[in-house]
Amino acid sequence: MAKVSFTGHLQRHLAIEPLTVNGATLAEVLNEVFQRYPALRTYLLDDQRGLRQHVAIFIDGQQIRDRRHFKDLTPANAEVFVAQALSGG
């Protein structure tokens, strides 16, 4: 099971808490996360269902490689961290 946590910026805008979900790939993990927090989908994904430009996801401290299909593996007891960068001037 993967432990998924979120940057404080996302937590300020959505009522989301860290959670533990099943999934062998990031796609499976995200599907479970979106089932629990449907509003999070629009914060993370663009219109083509890929990761938004200013969002980063890390699995065990390593940034994911597949930002479109999320086929990165999530090993047992993986720690997944979702960050949304702040931009602007």
Side-chain angles (χ1 to χ4, degrees), residues 26 30 44-46 49-57 63-64 66-68 70 82:
L26 182 58
L30 288 176
L44 302 185
L45 304 183
D46 61 22
R49 301 182 129 200
L51 203 59
R52 290 189 179 277
Q53 179 180 354
H54 297 292
V55 174
I57 299 178
Q63 192 165 3
I64 65 166
D66 185 359
R67 297 177 57 88
R68 172 100 13 233
F70 311 112
V82 180

Side-chain angles (χ1 to χ4, degrees), residues 5-82:
S5 57
F6 308 91
T7 186
H9 177 71
L10 283 170
Q11 291 176 336
R12 282 194 299 274
H13 294 285
L14 297 168
I16 53 176
E17 297 289 330
L19 62 150
T20 303
V21 298
N22 288 314
T25 65
L26 182 58
E28 293 172 0
V29 167
L30 288 176
N31 283 334
E32 284 216 26
V33 170
F34 294 149
Q35 285 180 7
R36 296 183 193 184
Y37 299 117
L40 185 61
R41 183 183 303 271
T42 58
Y43 275 83
L44 302 185
L45 304 183
D46 61 22
D47 293 339
Q48 289 79 39
R49 301 182 129 200
L51 203 59
R52 290 189 179 277
Q53 179 180 354
H54 297 292
V55 174
I57 299 178
F58 299 86
I59 300 172
D60 292 332
Q62 298 293 315
Q63 192 165 3
I64 65 166
R65 294 175 186 244
D66 185 359
R67 297 177 57 88
R68 172 100 13 233
H69 302 287
F70 311 112
K71 293 186 179 189
D72 297 78
L73 299 178
T74 51
N77 301 316
E79 291 192 21
V80 177
F81 183 70
V82 180

